[in-house]
Structure formats: structure tokens, C-alpha cells
Amino acid sequence: MGALLIAAAVDLADGSWNPAGDAVLRDRMASSLALGHGGPVGTSTASSALLLSRAPLRDAPPPRTGARGRPWRAHVGPDGAHVLFAGDLYDRDSLRQALPSAVAGQDDAALYAAALAHFNADCDSRINGYYAAICWYPDERRLRLARSPINAPPLHLWTDRGRVVAASTARAAIAAGADDALNEERLADALFLNFRDCRQGWYRDIDRVPTGEIVWLDPEGARRRRFWTIRDLPSVRLNSDDAYVEAVSAEMAKGVQEVAGGFAKPATQLSGGLDSQAVASFTLDFLPDDATLKAYCWVPQAGFEPLDWPAAHGDETSLAHAFATMHRRVELEFVDTGDLPLTHQEDKIFMLTGIAPMGGGNMHWGHEILRRAAAAGHGVVFDGGFGNNGFSYDGLTGPATWMRQGRIVRAWREIGLLGGKRSHIARFFSHAIMPQLPIKLRQRLRRLRGKTPDPFESWCPLRAGFAEDHGVLARSEAVGHDPMFLDLPSAMDWRAATLAMGENDGADITLAYELLYGVPTRSPLAYRPLFELTAGIADDQYLREGETRWLARRMLKGRIPEQVRTNTSFGIQSSDWPVRFNRERAAMLDEIASLSNDPRMAQMFDLPRMERNLREWSGKNSVGGPEMALIFSAVGRGLTAARLMRYRDRRNG
């Protein structure tokens, strides 16, 4: 197992900084890593470098002597690299067999160091895990940084004229002297839901290392290389439909086993969807026959009114209960967050991450599940993350793909079988032809038809003029972000877009949760061999005879209840949001009024629109109505972002 947090401060210039000999710097950086649950912070030095590592709570008791770092020794690899490793390696036995010398019984930092010395530049392509690594070569005055593909702990980077800090949290760089000014360009892009720049951080001078990337830094400068991108994955073609089910099932079983391997007493988040129930089912296979699996299912609070919408459901109770009834070893616990305020634990998230989470309205049940899991002594909580863009993909990019391949009859037939209220030819044009057109033309056509509201009149809290003047629109267009979220022309495009939305901010939030509660969250469906296999499978395994998620539905037959396996409606996260927002409407109106007196806030946010929509809101949500965009998204995200800005102002003051 690896560390919870890692950090390194190195001098790549003339040696005048001397982080290795600076006791004040050591204590400041150690203090920045000591917040929340975890083991003590260890510190060590190498030539021109200060190295720090903090163990997770499961590996070491919390320190009783305060935040000051204690002596510790970083692992030194066969090639002389001082290796800091956060997270977990998977498939350790296979990796050990591929190495020339035995490293049995050693921790993941030692195993990574041995792999790096043996495989050199190909190391991260040859191994598998959920990790971030910092490697310092003192003789070469070279720093190497890496994050695993798909899903990884965060890694932040600050450089200033030869001074370099790489760390799991931006706080460590700030403790070392980085400017803590908020990157309002990044904040504005996030409010426009543009997450495509995976290197940009939330502080002005602090960048990120993206997933699947290696960064080298030395006195000559910095070099970056993406060793993994989803677009480079090979196609997967097997000899029968059943072979796909068998292959994916085998990799999922292995993935759950590898991800669970280092944790005691796993628990799981459980919903009524295919992803979480698949994870729970395969976790039961991994557990001893006499062991139970605790499953936490969020339920809406009192006052929730379900929508009259056959395509969606907001209460997972019956579907989760059906799974627990089918599997008697599942101990199901319903989680009602009651009257937790919208700002529950918000300042702590700001402190631990430095970001304004765009999914903040969905975080209350995550807090409560992890609080309960910690109290019950669980070592990890599994979720179903990465399932929708992996094994349970819906296949709806199939018609556009088949159209490009000249398989027009196949595209026409599947669209007919999918059904819908519009005519067959209208649906064919929309799903098979429209995704092939240039995005600007498609956006223009949608606006002419009145099908898509302007973001600045619905879900985005920014003022349109601010977005134009501060480059939000230009940056969005430059990276290919589509604020209308139109259908994409291929499964690979869709997967790439959805991965970009969660690979950075999501990692910081996952880490913050663990620091708050001492219990890590893991996504077995992000296990790299499983994800790569499913991403390479063609759309006709995901959409067949009008049945979406065809691969997952076949895989899960006999594993989950039929009412879940065949269910085509989707779950709505935080479906009780009208109850929560209605309860706090007066306080939010007062908050908006206060923000209106701040010129900076009034310039950035469309406060009059937010105030008007909140005041005129009926207090309900409707099928196909604008309420969720106007209130939950625009008002909710706008106030979260404004609170982060004010939090930073208070901290600086």
C-alpha cells in the first residue's frame, strides 16, 4: 500500500533556496499535510530536496504530538531515485514476476521504484494501479512526476525560477511560498462546465499533473508526456457475443479483487443502477462466504415529491431493497441526510481542496455515507464510478458511428427499435446525421429550432458579458467544449469528454473525503484492464435490437434483480433538491443581496437573474421544466463559487 499524501520541495537552480536545510519550510509543509485523518507526517532530505509523506489512517495511528513532521526515510530505488508513492498498486504478483529481483514483502513505493529502474520510460505503461508518484534523482538534479491513467490521487505542481514543489495538495505549495491567489479563470471555466484543460489548477501559479501523464523537471526546464490517452486504445474484437460477456466478467472480478485487496471490511454505495449493483455483486464473490457486505443507499428526505416521469426515478429504495433481498449477505442501510444545510462541511472542502465543487449539491449524502462507514469501522467504500463510460455504456453513439461506416441500414433499424415520440426519419436525422456536422452548425440549428436554452439564461450563473470579456467563450471553443452538450459522433469522443470532467476536481474531492472521515473511496470499475477492455469494444455490443447497455444487462443476469437489470429509467441524484433549496430560500436571497454589494461579485455573476429566478420559483421541479437548471444549477453553483471566493478573502485577511 502507498501513502495518503506526498510532497517534495526541490531546488533546481543555484542552490540558494536549500529546502533540505530549512527547518521552517519543513514545519510549514508538514503542517499543511497534517490536516484531517491520517498517520503522522514523515520528513526526510536528499541533496537539494525536502521530501514528505503521510500514511493513511489504516496504516498508522494519528499523531499525538501535533503537526510537526517526524524523521522518516524515503525509499531509494536501484537507479538512485528517492521515491514517494501515494495510492495503491494493483496486480502486484504479476509485476513482481516481471522484475529481475524479488521485492516481496516491501511496500508499493519499493515496488514502484523497482519497476521504474527496470522499465525506465515505459514503467507507467507497464504497471497498473491508482497512484501518484514523485521521484527525485539527486545526482542528476531531476524530478519525475506521474499519475496513473483514468483515476488517480491528485498531484499539484508549482515552479518558480528553479524552486519546485510537487504535492498531493495545493496547500503544500502555498506553505512553501506559492501565491495563494485564486485562479478566477479556472473558476469561470468550471462554472461554464469546461474541464478540458486538465493541467490548469485552481490557484494562479499552481498547475496539475493530469492522469496518464509524466512530467520531468531539471535545470533545463520541464517536459511532459501523456503515456496514456483513451484515443490510443486498440479496438477489441472477440469471436462471439458470449465471449464479450465472459471477458468483461473476468476482468471485473479481477478488478474488484485487486482494488479490495489491501482493505479490511469493505462497504459499498448502492443505488438502483447497474453500476453500483454490479460492484456489490462482484464484491460478494470476493468476500468469504460467511461475511456480510454493508451497503449504503441514499434516500430522499421527507417532503420529496417524485416526478411524473417514467424515464427517471428519484428514490432508489425499492431497487436497492430488491438487491438486498436477492443477496441475503447484504446488510442494507438507508441514508437520509435530513435537514443538513446546503453548506454542510463546505468550508472544510474549501480548505482541503481549494476548489468550488460543481457537484456540491450532491455531496451531502457522500458526507453522511462516509461518516457512517467510519463509525462502523469499514476500511473502504466502493462506488460505481466510471461504469457509464465503461462496461455499462448505453451505446447511443452507435447510429452515428454506423452511418460513417456506411452501415446505414443498421443505423436506421436501431433508431427505429429505440422508439420515441418523433417520426423515425426525424430521429434518424438527429442521432445518425447531426453528430457528423460541425459543432457550430449544429449549435446554430438548435438555437433556430429553440431546442436548447442559452447557458447564460439557464444553468450558468456567469454574466454573459463577463464570460465574453474574460475569455470563457474563447477558451471553451478552443478546446472543443460544447456548452449545449449535444450528441457526440463516437463512443470514444463521449468517453474522452466524460473522463475530462472528473479526472482532476474529482480526485481532490475524493482525497478531501478521506481526510475528513479516514475512509477511502474507490471505484473498481476504473480498474485499468477492465476499463481498457470495455472502451475498445464496438457499439454493437452496447446497443442491440433497441436495447441499450446490452453488454451490462447480459453480464448481470442472475447477479442482480430482474427489475433492476431490465430497468431503462435513470436515477436522479439529489432528487429532493427542491425540499432543501426551498427550506433555505430566504437565506440564499439574503446571500445574493450581500453579494450584490461586492463589485467583483456583481461583475462576475448574474446576480439579478439568480435573485429573480429564486424569488419567482414555484418551489417545485417539473418534468422537462427549467427549474433544475435555473435553481439547482445556476443558483447553487453560483453561490458555491462565491462562497469559495469569500472564503479565500477571509483566509487572506
Side-chain angles (χ1 to χ4, degrees):
M1 311 298 286
L4 172 62
L5 302 172
I6 53 177
V10 303
D11 185 358
L12 294 177
D14 56 7
S16 59
W17 188 30
N18 189 27
D22 191 334
V24 174
L25 175 67
R26 179 198 63 204
D27 290 345
R28 285 176 58 86
M29 290 187 67
S31 296
S32 75
L33 299 179
L35 298 176
H37 291 282
V41 179
T43 65
S44 65
T45 60
S47 175
S48 302
L50 171 65
L51 309 175
L52 305 96
S53 178
R54 186 184 189 190
L57 185 60
R58 66 180 182 268
D59 291 343
R64 296 184 179 275
T65 56
R68 178 171 295 180
R70 69 177 189 178
W72 156 84
R73 185 180 297 276
H75 184 84
V76 179
D79 57 355
H82 293 245
V83 175
L84 309 179
F85 184 91
D88 306 299
L89 282 175
Y90 305 144
D91 301 321
R92 296 177 183 89
D93 290 342
S94 298
L95 178 57
R96 290 188 182 100
Q97 292 173 9
L99 298 175
S101 57
V103 287
Q106 298 190 56
D107 63 14
D108 283 356
L111 188 52
Y112 184 86
L116 180 59
H118 181 63
F119 296 124
N120 298 310
D122 291 333
C123 169
D124 296 278
S125 299
R126 300 284 297 271
I127 65 177
N128 182 27
Y130 167 85
Y131 67 85
I134 301 172
C135 303
W136 170 239
Y137 295 83
D139 294 341
E140 305 171 34
R141 298 180 63 78
R142 179 165 62 95
L143 191 67
R144 182 187 188 274
L145 315 174
R147 285 179 75 204
S148 57
I150 308 167
N151 192 23
L155 193 56
H156 301 265
L157 175 63
W158 172 60
T159 59
D160 178 39
R161 292 171 299 181
R163 293 190 295 172
V164 176
V165 172
S168 300
T169 74
R171 294 190 313 277
I174 293 169
D179 188 352
D180 68 347
L182 191 66
N183 183 355
E184 294 188 7
E185 179 180 299
R186 178 67 179 82
L187 174 64
D189 286 350
L191 288 168
F192 202 55
L193 300 185
N194 174 15
F195 303 98
R196 296 297 186 96
D197 187 346
C198 53
R199 293 173 177 168
Q200 188 181 45
W202 279 77
Y203 292 94
R204 194 174 295 161
D205 298 326
I206 304 175
D207 296 328
R208 283 168 157 158
V209 177
T211 57
E213 182 167 281
I214 300 170
V215 181
W216 293 271
L217 301 106
D218 58 30
E220 303 302 317
R223 294 178 294 119
R224 293 176 179 259
R225 178 173 71 87
R226 295 301 294 265
F227 68 88
W228 188 97
T229 67
I230 193 167
R231 297 187 185 279
D232 292 337
L233 296 181
S235 298
V236 174
R237 299 294 180 265
L238 303 179
N239 57 16
S240 71
D241 292 338
D242 289 344
Y244 290 97
V245 171
E246 293 167 4
V248 176
S249 297
E251 288 295 355
M252 187 174 293
K254 187 178 179 184
V256 168
Q257 180 177 352
E258 288 294 330
V259 176
F263 299 102
K265 199 180 175 184
T268 184
Q269 295 181 15
L270 188 69
S271 72
L274 301 178
D275 300 332
S276 68
Q277 296 212 0
V279 170
S281 169
F282 280 87
T283 302
L284 284 169
D285 291 347
F286 166 75
L287 295 176
D289 292 341
D290 59 348
T292 60
L293 175 66
K294 174 61 76 70
Y296 295 99
C297 175
W298 172 79
V299 296
Q301 63 185 284
F304 161 70
E305 296 181 5
L307 295 175
D308 184 16
W309 189 11
H313 59 275
D315 188 346
E316 314 273 3
T317 306
S318 62
L319 298 175
H321 186 266
F323 183 85
T325 301
M326 180 179 183
H327 298 280
R328 295 297 183 180
R329 291 192 293 141
V330 171
E331 182 185 342
L332 181 61
E333 183 172 332
F334 292 118
V335 177
D336 182 351
T337 58
D339 58 357
L340 286 180
L342 292 167
T343 56
H344 178 63
Q345 301 283 42
E346 194 173 62
D347 274 9
K348 291 181 180 178
I349 293 295
F350 292 161
M351 174 180 62
L352 293 170
T353 67
I355 71 176
M358 294 297 103
N362 292 319
M363 292 179 66
H364 57 104
W365 51 268
H367 283 290
E368 182 61 14
I369 286 174
L370 288 171
R371 186 192 68 79
R372 295 188 186 196
H378 292 290
V380 67
V381 174
F382 291 155
D383 64 30
F386 300 89
N388 286 342
N389 45 18
F391 94 105
S392 69
Y393 182 56
D394 59 24
L396 290 177
T397 53
T401 299
W402 298 324
M403 186 73 184
R404 283 195 309 279
Q405 295 171 344
R407 301 165 66 187
I408 300 173
V409 173
R410 175 66 189 275
W412 174 267
R413 183 171 184 274
E414 285 292 352
I415 287 172
L417 291 170
L418 281 168
K421 294 182 179 179
R422 294 182 298 157
S423 69
H424 191 160
I425 193 167
R427 287 183 284 114
F428 181 80
F429 183 79
S430 177
H431 297 298
I433 297 176
M434 282 284 283
Q436 323 289 344
L437 302 179
I439 191 66
K440 283 189 173 182
L441 175 59
R442 296 176 63 200
Q443 291 174 341
R444 192 175 301 119
L445 291 173
R446 295 281 291 187
R447 289 192 182 99
L448 288 174
R449 295 171 60 198
K451 292 291 185 179
T452 305
D454 188 309
F456 302 109
E457 295 175 0
S458 57
W459 55 264
C460 182
L462 295 173
R463 286 180 54 250
F466 176 91
E468 178 72 35
D469 296 342
H470 289 77
V472 175
L473 302 182
R475 289 191 298 275
S476 173
E477 183 177 341
V479 297
H481 171 58
D482 172 23
M484 290 186 175
F485 305 101
L486 302 176
D487 292 343
L488 290 167
S490 73
M492 206 59 77
D493 288 322
W494 190 87
R495 289 185 169 104
T498 53
L499 283 179
M501 293 185 70
E503 71 170 333
N504 284 323
D505 289 0
D508 283 299
I509 291 169
T510 297
L511 176 58
Y513 272 143
E514 183 170 357
L515 289 168
L516 280 173
Y517 302 103
V519 181
T521 302
R522 293 290 187 269
S523 301
L525 302 183
Y527 176 64
R528 181 175 168 183
L530 169 64
F531 189 90
E532 290 181 343
L533 171 64
T534 57
I537 294 174
D539 288 340
D540 61 6
Q541 287 296 318
Y542 294 104
L543 176 63
R544 181 77 64 89
E545 300 296 323
E547 186 172 14
T548 61
R549 308 186 194 279
W550 189 55
L551 175 61
R553 297 188 199 282
R554 289 179 293 146
M555 268 184 60
L556 298 176
K557 188 172 181 62
R559 284 187 165 273
I560 67 175
E562 279 298 287
Q563 67 194 88
V564 177
R565 191 183 73 86
T566 60
N567 181 33
T568 58
S569 67
F570 61 89
I572 302 175
Q573 289 187 333
S574 292
S575 54
D576 63 354
W577 72 265
V579 182
R580 303 172 70 229
F581 275 67
N582 216 11
R583 185 172 56 236
E584 301 185 35
R585 187 192 320 221
M588 288 190 287
L589 287 169
D590 289 344
E591 193 173 358
I592 292 172
S594 174
L595 294 173
S596 300
N597 297 321
D598 184 328
R600 183 176 56 150
M601 302 291 185
Q603 180 193 34
M604 176 178 282
F605 301 102
D606 194 338
L607 298 172
R609 169 165 57 93
M610 292 166 61
E611 188 271 339
R612 181 182 65 253
N613 290 337
L614 186 58
R615 193 176 297 280
E616 295 176 355
W617 172 46
S618 69
K620 298 182 181 297
N621 191 17
S622 64
V623 177
E627 296 91 351
M628 191 164 191
L630 297 176
I631 309 302
F632 183 78
S633 297
V635 174
R637 290 175 183 149
L639 290 180
T640 298
R643 291 181 198 126
L644 173 67
M645 295 170 69
R646 287 194 157 181
Y647 173 84
R648 294 307 313 167
D649 290 343
R650 292 196 304 271
R651 294 277 294 185
N652 291 340

